[in-house]
């Protein structure tokens, strides 16, 4: 493993880069600190950084034939869900393997068109010959979906133990991309690397941009991240959907920013719609008798071409929880459009 230090105006970035046994390069961490006195030393958009970006670890399954009729129409229905799958945690008297298989059945029965997942864990330990392949289990249960899995954090530098996000789609995934979000190792609440994964999906109404993230527990990191995510979304044409576990409640500054209620660093937005305006309930914690927090979100961009038909939770009918979160789902009606 080696660390590359890159600086941009008023900031310095530390990137941990690892070459695995197959000679493939993986960028597993990206930290950010603000240093006003440091001058930029190099341009992160030069060919070297493009090479590193193209080599970042990204596991895709986009060659699966989708099982959805792709007849284009003026208006069509698309269902979208976000679900934090609780990594390798177990419930009382049940292994995480059994819990994950039950969760996959919940996803399969829900028959949602596009699913965003957080806390997806992959562990491959050659020393003990043990493997945890959560993305593989979910792929078996959602065999007619295409997917993209993007690791965010590597926990063990010498063996593969990583956690990230994923997008599953019953419609064709045209392309995918992602960014590493700011990480300040000196912040005790900001102890994981975070990413924002983007996929362009060909729906019956046209191309749709999907963004999924899992934000830090640190509110300072959350505020930096939502600005970077919004700027990242601006690089893509409308319409778009941003969703995930944001680890923040509705009255917190990061969510108020996304709802256009406050500005952060002089930036104020007005083009995102929180689907929760059509729903009342909480998503966390599902292992409690009554969930008390709302920290999972779906934001829509382009209210002209996208209408909300219904919003509901999945996983609530299970006697034994399949995750510490409930899945948040929205049924949309989308107008045919061209990017």
């Amino acid at each position: 493993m080696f660390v590359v230090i890159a600086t941009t105006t008023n900031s310095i970035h530390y990137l941990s880069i690892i070459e695995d046994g197959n000679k493939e390069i993986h960028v597993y961490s990206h930290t950010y600190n603000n240093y006003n006195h440091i001058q930029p030393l190099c341009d992160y958009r030069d060919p070297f950084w493009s090479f590193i970006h193209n080599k970042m670890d990204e596991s895709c399954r986009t060659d699966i034939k989708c099982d959805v009729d792709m007849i284009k129409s003026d208006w069509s229905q698309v269902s979208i869900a976000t679900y934090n799958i609780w990594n390798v945690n177990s419930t009382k008297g049940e292994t995480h393997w059994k819990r994950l298989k039950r969760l996959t059945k919940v996803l399969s029965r829900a028959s949602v068109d596009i699913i965003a997942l957080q806390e997806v864990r992959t562990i491959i330990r050659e020393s003990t010959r043990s493997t945890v392949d959560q993305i593989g289990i979910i792929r078996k249960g959602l065999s007619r979906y295409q997917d993209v899995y993007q690791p965010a954090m590597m926990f063990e530098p010498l063996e593969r133990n990583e956690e990230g996000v994923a997008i599953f789609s019953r419609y064709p995934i045209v392309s995918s991309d992602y960014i590493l979000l700011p990480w300040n190792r000196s912040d005790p609440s900001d102890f994981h690397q975070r990413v924002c994964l983007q996929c362009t999906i060909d729906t019956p109404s046209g191309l749709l941009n999907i963004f999924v993230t899992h934000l830090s527990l640190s509110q300072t990191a959350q505020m930096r991240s939502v600005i970077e995510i919004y700027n990242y979304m601006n690089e893509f044409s409308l319409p778009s959907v941003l969703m995930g576990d944001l680890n923040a409640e509705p009255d917190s500054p990061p969510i108020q920013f996304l709802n256009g209620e406050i500005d952060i660093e002089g930036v104020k937005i007005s083009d995102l719609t929180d689907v929760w305006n059509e729903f009342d309930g909480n998503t966390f914690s599902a292992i409690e008798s009554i969930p008390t927090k709302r920290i999972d979100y779906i934001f829509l961009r382009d209210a002209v071409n996208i209408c909300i038909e219904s919003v509901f939770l999945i996983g609530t009918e299970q006697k034994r929880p399949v995750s510490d979160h409930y899945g948040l789902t929205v049924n949309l009606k989308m107008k045919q459009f061209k990017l």
Side-chain angles (χ1 to χ4, degrees):
M1 179 179 70
F2 59 96
V3 176
V4 175
I5 302 176
T7 62
T8 56
T9 304
N10 297 331
S11 63
I12 186 167
H13 302 259
Y14 296 84
L15 290 81
S16 298
I17 302 174
I18 296 174
E19 184 179 46
D20 65 16
N22 295 322
K23 303 298 182 181
E24 294 183 354
I25 295 174
H26 309 270
V27 177
Y28 276 104
S29 67
H30 171 250
T31 63
Y32 164 90
N33 285 289
N34 193 25
Y35 293 98
N36 291 324
H37 64 282
I38 296 180
Q39 297 299 317
L41 300 177
C42 62
D43 183 359
Y44 72 98
R45 295 186 184 275
D46 71 20
F48 173 76
W49 297 110
S50 297
F51 166 76
I52 293 296
H53 173 81
N54 291 335
K55 287 292 185 179
M56 287 181 180
D57 185 36
E58 182 174 79
S59 175
C60 305
R61 184 182 64 168
T62 57
D63 57 345
I64 300 296
K65 183 178 179 181
C66 296
D67 62 350
V68 177
D69 189 357
M70 283 295 294
I71 298 175
K72 301 294 182 179
S73 59
D74 290 339
W75 286 89
S76 62
Q77 292 180 324
V78 177
S79 55
I80 297 174
T82 178
Y83 217 139
N84 182 317
I85 69 170
W86 203 22
N87 58 70
V88 293
N89 288 288
S90 303
T91 56
K92 187 176 181 180
E94 181 183 47
T95 65
H96 78 272
W97 292 107
K98 291 183 178 180
R99 179 187 64 79
L100 184 61
K101 289 180 179 178
R102 287 195 301 112
L103 185 146
T104 302
K105 289 181 179 179
V106 169
L107 295 175
S108 179
R109 286 196 297 266
S111 194
V112 178
D113 297 323
I114 301 170
I115 307 169
L117 302 177
Q118 305 90 51
E119 291 194 23
V120 182
R121 188 69 69 91
T122 298
I123 304 174
I124 301 175
R125 291 193 178 99
E126 295 183 6
S127 59
T128 59
R129 296 187 177 182
S130 59
T131 300
V132 174
D133 183 15
Q134 292 191 321
I135 196 72
I137 291 176
I138 299 171
R139 282 171 173 167
K140 289 180 180 178
L142 303 178
S143 59
R144 300 304 296 173
Y145 284 69
Q146 296 186 0
D147 72 81
V148 175
Y149 163 59
Q150 178 55 54
M153 179 70 185
M154 179 172 163
F155 298 95
E156 300 175 41
L158 300 180
E159 297 190 276
R160 186 174 180 182
N161 183 354
E162 63 194 23
E163 185 174 294
V165 297
I167 294 174
F168 282 76
S169 175
R170 296 174 68 201
Y171 302 121
I173 297 176
V174 177
S175 63
S176 64
D177 190 25
Y178 73 98
I179 58 171
L180 295 165
L181 297 175
W183 180 20
N184 188 347
R185 293 177 187 262
S186 64
D187 184 345
S189 297
D190 190 16
F191 44 81
H192 284 170
Q193 174 63 59
R194 309 286 175 162
V195 299
C196 180
L197 171 64
Q198 179 274 339
C199 283
T200 301
I201 298 175
D202 188 9
T203 75
S205 291
L207 299 179
L208 177 66
N209 290 312
I210 299 292
F211 299 83
V212 57
T213 192
H214 183 196
L215 293 187
S216 170
L217 294 174
S218 164
Q219 187 174 103
T220 301
Q222 291 171 2
M223 293 174 70
R224 290 200 305 266
S225 293
V226 291
I227 291 178
E228 290 213 12
I229 290 171
Y230 184 72
N231 290 336
Y232 182 50
M233 292 177 69
N234 285 336
E235 297 179 12
F236 299 84
S237 301
L238 296 173
S240 300
V241 177
L242 168 64
M243 54 183 167
D245 174 3
L246 304 189
N247 273 319
E249 296 191 69
D251 59 353
S252 65
I255 305 304
Q256 290 179 320
F257 169 78
L258 293 174
N259 279 319
E261 299 170 5
I262 65 169
D263 70 275
I264 297 179
E265 298 180 1
V267 177
K268 190 171 184 180
I269 64 179
S270 60
D271 57 351
L272 295 181
T273 300
D274 184 353
V275 304
W276 207 276
N277 295 332
E278 307 294 326
F279 183 73
D280 183 24
N282 293 313
T283 61
F284 184 83
S285 162
I287 60 177
E288 299 174 358
S289 56
I290 301 178
T292 58
K293 293 183 179 181
R294 171 196 169 194
I295 58 176
D296 301 271
Y297 297 85
I298 299 177
F299 288 93
L300 308 179
R301 192 177 193 182
D302 191 1
V304 174
N305 290 311
I306 305 177
C307 298
I308 300 172
E309 288 201 320
S310 61
V311 183
F312 56 94
L313 300 178
I314 55 176
T316 58
E317 70 286 355
Q318 302 294 304
K319 293 182 180 180
R320 177 179 290 177
V322 295
S323 174
D324 60 339
H325 291 243
Y326 288 135
L328 175 63
T329 306
V330 59
N331 286 327
L332 303 174
K333 182 171 282 188
M334 297 173 55
K335 185 178 180 180
Q336 188 171 2
F337 46 83
K338 294 182 180 180
L339 292 182

